[in-house]
């Protein structure tokens, strides 16, 4: 019996009670005869026990408040397309085409007095927005494309994360938000922002002032 | 149906209050995931903050293919990975600093030991066992959010738990050669 050991996935399934009655019986018989496998099973159970007995850790209340207060403004994708993002290489022509179709349909139905024009135009815009979202890959939220065009004046690039930089500025009384591209925009005098960032090492979070 | 669905839809339309409610529902799980992965409360709070900013910004793109919690966990795992890379340090040797006096309870002793043991594991094992055993995710969810096949997830849980038990000294003394 001990010659053919169950593999690690079978042992895990045994511990998690995911095997059929027959399979379970087979492994159980093997365990009686095999010290190595029964040790694996005991380790699996001990590791599971330690993890499941551990309490959830609580995010401190004041951190939660800070985090929520520091959430940036969000530009809604249907109303504005982010300029110069990588995804727009694909999305922009689609958006333009959709807009054209929208205008066309709108014009046509106004003449004919139909009621679906708005719906069609909205659908066109939504499709373009979805294309943009898809091009950005739903899982790739961690990639912040560099902001090529920014309305503000660049102060300097500092070490992130961006949300931390925002907190730092706010503690100095300077309103600040994280931009969609991952940079930070502060509202205030350039000198104040520069002073607030003095102690911050250089990094890849661009800080702009407006 | 995903219990978060209604709030998610409202938050997608830009309602901050809906997003705040979602945060309240998930914050401790997100924080636990980050803290157990990073081994530091401060880094964990930073990772959660970064993750929630990313989640808020990316929310209009969330299509509900996965559960909302799974989607959030993925963002936290990525944010925690980034925070670690920024710190350019391996997992801290110390357990999370009990800076908050409310956490100085006897049960934290256990998690102190547990954290030291977790810190010794490979990051991918740590993420897998925390998601599976602490947060109760399924193999399929973990596979989806870490981007590896289910078989790999199971193997990581097997190895992660086994190594953890050895480090905790709760497993059998004698170790034999491989199966």
């Amino acid at each position: 019996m001990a010659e053919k050991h169950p593999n690690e996935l079978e042992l895990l399934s045994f511990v998690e009670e995911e095997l059929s009655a027959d399979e379970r019986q087979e492994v159980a018989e093997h365990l009686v005869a095999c010290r190595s496998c029964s040790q694996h099973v005991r380790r699996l159970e001990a590791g599971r026990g330690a993890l499941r007995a551990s309490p959830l850790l609580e995010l401190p209340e004041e951190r939660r408040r800070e985090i929520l207060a520091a959430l940036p403004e969000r530009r809604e994708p249907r109303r504005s397309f982010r300029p110069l993002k990588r995804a727009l290489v694909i999305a922009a022509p689609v958006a333009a085409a959709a807009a054209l179709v929208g205008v066309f349909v709108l014009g046509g139905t106004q003449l004919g007095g139909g009621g679906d024009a708005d719906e069609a135009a909205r659908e066109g815009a939504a499709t373009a927005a979805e294309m943009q979202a898809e091009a950005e890959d739903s899982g790739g939220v961690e990639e912040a494309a560099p902001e090529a065009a920014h309305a503000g004046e660049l102060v300097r690039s500092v070490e992130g994360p961006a949300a931390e930089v925002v907190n730092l500025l706010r503690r100095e009384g300077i309103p600040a938000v994280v931009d969609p591209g991952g940079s930070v925009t502060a509202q205030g005098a350039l000198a104040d922002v520069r002073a607030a960032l003095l102690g911050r090492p250089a990094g890849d979070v661009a800080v702009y002032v407006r | 149906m995903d219990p978060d669905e209604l709030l998610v839809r409202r938050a997608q339309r830009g309602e901050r209050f809906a997003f705040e409610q979602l945060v309240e529902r998930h914050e401790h799980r997100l924080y636990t995931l980050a803290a157990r992965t990073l081994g530091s409360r401060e880094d964990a709070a930073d990772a959660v903050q970064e993750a929630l900013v990313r989640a808020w910004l990316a929310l209009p793109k969330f299509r509900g293919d996965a559960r909302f919690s799974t989607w959030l966990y993925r963002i936290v795992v990525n944010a925690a990975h980034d925070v670690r890379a920024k710190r350019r340090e391996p997992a801290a040797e110390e357990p999370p600093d009990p800076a908050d006096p409310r956490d100085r309870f006897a049960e934290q002793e256990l998690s102190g030991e547990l954290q030291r043991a977790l810190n010794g594991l490979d990051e991918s094992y740590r993420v897998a066992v925390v998601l599976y055993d602490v947060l109760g995710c399924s193999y399929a969810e973990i596979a989806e959010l870490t981007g590896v096949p289910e078989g790999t997830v199971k193997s990581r849980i097997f190895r992660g738990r086994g190594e953890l038990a050895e480090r905790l000294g709760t497993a059998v003394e004698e170790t034999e050669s491989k199966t």
Side-chain angles (χ1 to χ4, degrees):
Chain A
M1 195 71 218
E3 311 86 49
K4 194 186 171 297
H5 299 280
N7 64 33
E8 54 184 38
L9 300 194
E10 286 164 335
L11 287 177
L12 178 64
S13 297
F14 175 81
V15 170
E16 295 303 291
E17 301 186 3
E18 296 158 348
L19 296 178
S20 69
D22 286 354
E23 290 167 329
R24 184 168 178 78
Q25 180 65 24
E26 210 175 301
V27 175
E29 278 171 21
H30 176 85
L31 291 177
V32 175
C34 178
R35 186 189 288 180
S36 162
C37 285
S38 54
Q39 276 183 342
H40 276 303
V41 165
R42 264 176 287 173
R43 275 197 287 267
L44 281 175
E45 288 170 340
R48 174 178 68 181
L51 288 159
R52 296 200 177 170
S54 70
L56 278 187
L57 304 173
E58 294 193 7
L59 177 69
E61 179 68 27
E62 71 273 15
R63 276 312 294 259
R64 178 163 63 85
R65 277 199 299 268
E66 261 178 40
I67 289 172
L68 291 177
L71 281 184
E73 289 301 318
R74 190 174 75 201
R75 280 180 282 168
E76 298 306 316
R78 285 189 185 195
R79 268 174 243 142
S80 64
F81 295 103
R82 292 178 211 168
L84 296 175
K85 288 206 78 170
R86 178 173 40 104
L88 276 190
V89 175
I90 302 164
V94 179
L100 268 180
V101 170
V103 168
F104 204 71
V105 174
L106 194 64
T109 40
Q110 259 166 0
L111 283 177
D116 293 338
D118 273 352
E119 201 54 49
R122 262 200 300 275
E123 235 170 65
T127 310
E130 275 157 25
M131 289 285 297
Q132 180 190 359
E134 237 148 69
E136 282 184 17
D137 165 33
S138 63
V141 287
E142 69 279 9
E143 278 179 51
E147 291 261 295
H150 195 288
E153 184 180 350
L154 178 66
V155 183
R156 55 183 280 249
S157 289
V158 297
E159 192 181 271
E164 218 175 82
V165 179
V166 165
N167 281 343
L168 184 153
L169 289 165
R170 287 178 180 201
R171 275 199 294 274
E172 299 295 322
I174 302 167
V177 294
V178 179
D179 304 317
S183 59
V184 168
T185 299
Q187 257 184 331
L190 179 63
D192 292 345
V193 177
R194 198 170 275 156
L197 296 173
L198 262 186
R200 192 87 184 167
D204 54 10
V205 176
V207 180
Y208 296 89
V209 68
R210 228 198 318 222
Chain B
M1 172 180 138
D2 190 334
D4 292 322
E5 195 180 315
L6 282 180
L7 285 171
V8 168
R9 261 191 266 147
R10 292 173 54 183
Q12 283 181 317
R13 291 200 296 261
E15 285 183 40
R16 272 177 185 255
F17 181 63
F19 187 72
E20 286 177 18
Q21 282 178 284
L22 286 168
V23 170
E24 270 175 41
R25 285 166 84 132
H26 294 284
E27 60 183 8
H28 298 321
R29 290 171 181 280
L30 303 183
Y31 180 63
T32 300
L33 174 57
R36 292 301 188 199
T37 310
L38 288 165
S40 148
R41 287 181 186 272
E42 199 41 48
D43 287 353
D46 287 347
V48 168
Q49 173 156 23
E50 187 69 21
L52 288 175
V53 168
R54 292 177 190 182
W56 167 246
L57 293 176
L59 199 56
K61 288 185 266 172
F62 173 67
R63 286 180 297 247
D65 300 338
R67 274 154 57 113
F68 179 67
S69 55
T70 309
W71 184 75
L72 276 183
Y73 293 157
R74 171 164 59 178
I75 298 176
V76 169
V77 167
N78 288 337
H81 183 83
D82 293 351
V83 166
R84 178 195 298 285
K86 283 227 163 87
R87 299 280 183 275
R88 307 202 96 234
E89 285 168 1
E93 287 300 312
E94 298 298 314
D97 173 25
D100 187 339
R102 284 175 306 174
D103 291 340
R104 288 187 189 139
F105 292 118
E107 60 181 358
Q108 291 296 317
E109 263 309 293
L110 167 73
S111 60
E113 249 178 80
L114 176 68
Q115 191 60 52
R116 271 191 292 276
L118 275 170
N119 290 347
L121 301 189
D122 182 89
E123 185 179 344
S124 64
Y125 295 179
R126 212 178 317 150
V127 167
V129 296
V130 170
L131 285 168
Y132 189 74
D133 284 319
V134 182
L135 299 180
C137 291
S138 67
Y139 300 135
E141 283 174 318
I142 300 171
E144 189 184 323
L145 77 91
T146 53
V148 297
E150 267 188 53
T152 308
V153 170
K154 290 182 185 175
S155 169
R156 286 175 181 177
I157 293 169
F158 179 92
R159 287 161 197 216
R161 274 192 195 169
E163 240 187 80
L164 189 72
E166 271 181 53
R167 286 173 186 275
L168 286 169
T170 50
V172 276
E173 324 69 49
E174 210 177 336
T175 326
E176 282 189 9
S177 58
K178 291 180 202 164
T179 49

